[in-house]
Amino acid sequence: MNPHPHELAPLLLALGLAGIELAPHPTDAGRLRHRPADLPPDLSARLRLHRVAVLGLLAGGYAPDAHPDGGDAGYVYGERLGVADGLGLATHPGSAAWLVAVGESIGHSCTTRTNGVE
């Protein structure tokens, strides 16, 4: 998916914490739409670098790493979405709460922790 998941996780988390929502562009599958329209320059630049990976997550959905050695990705993902849902926040793919949940989940996956050490 993304050759640098250790960079994607903090980006998704930062976007979600900033209240940004993402969606694939309705007429151009290679582009992203975001709300608000103006992103902070640092987030805009990082999003451009990881556009393909983010589009893949939005189009294909996200399934936490079900690694047998005890990775917490699935638990973190479900817990974050559950809390957001309980607070009445939108949790659909691309919503700010979803971005936080996916970012934290990817950050807790075994693959990310291994790649982050390399």
Side-chain angles (χ1 to χ4, degrees):
M1 172 169 73
N2 180 20
H4 305 287
H6 58 282
E7 295 174 6
L8 182 60
L11 170 62
L12 295 175
L13 188 57
L15 289 165
L17 291 174
I20 294 166
E21 295 182 16
L22 300 174
H25 194 279
T27 59
D28 185 351
R31 293 180 56 203
L32 275 169
R33 289 189 350 174
H34 48 80
R35 186 176 19 188
D38 294 324
L39 296 179
D42 64 317
L43 289 179
S44 181
R46 290 167 57 199
L47 187 56
R48 268 192 306 279
L49 289 173
H50 299 287
R51 178 180 47 83
V52 172
V54 172
L55 282 168
L57 285 172
L58 291 170
Y62 172 73
D65 186 16
H67 205 277
D69 72 356
D72 293 332
Y75 172 79
V76 169
Y77 180 68
E79 190 269 339
R80 298 302 184 267
L81 286 181
V83 168
D85 189 53
L87 293 171
L89 301 173
T91 58
H92 62 275
S95 68
W98 184 84
L99 292 170
V100 168
V102 173
E104 288 194 5
S105 178
I106 290 172
H108 281 85
S109 74
C110 296
T111 303
T112 300
R113 282 184 266 145
T114 302
N115 289 341
V117 173
E118 293 179 346

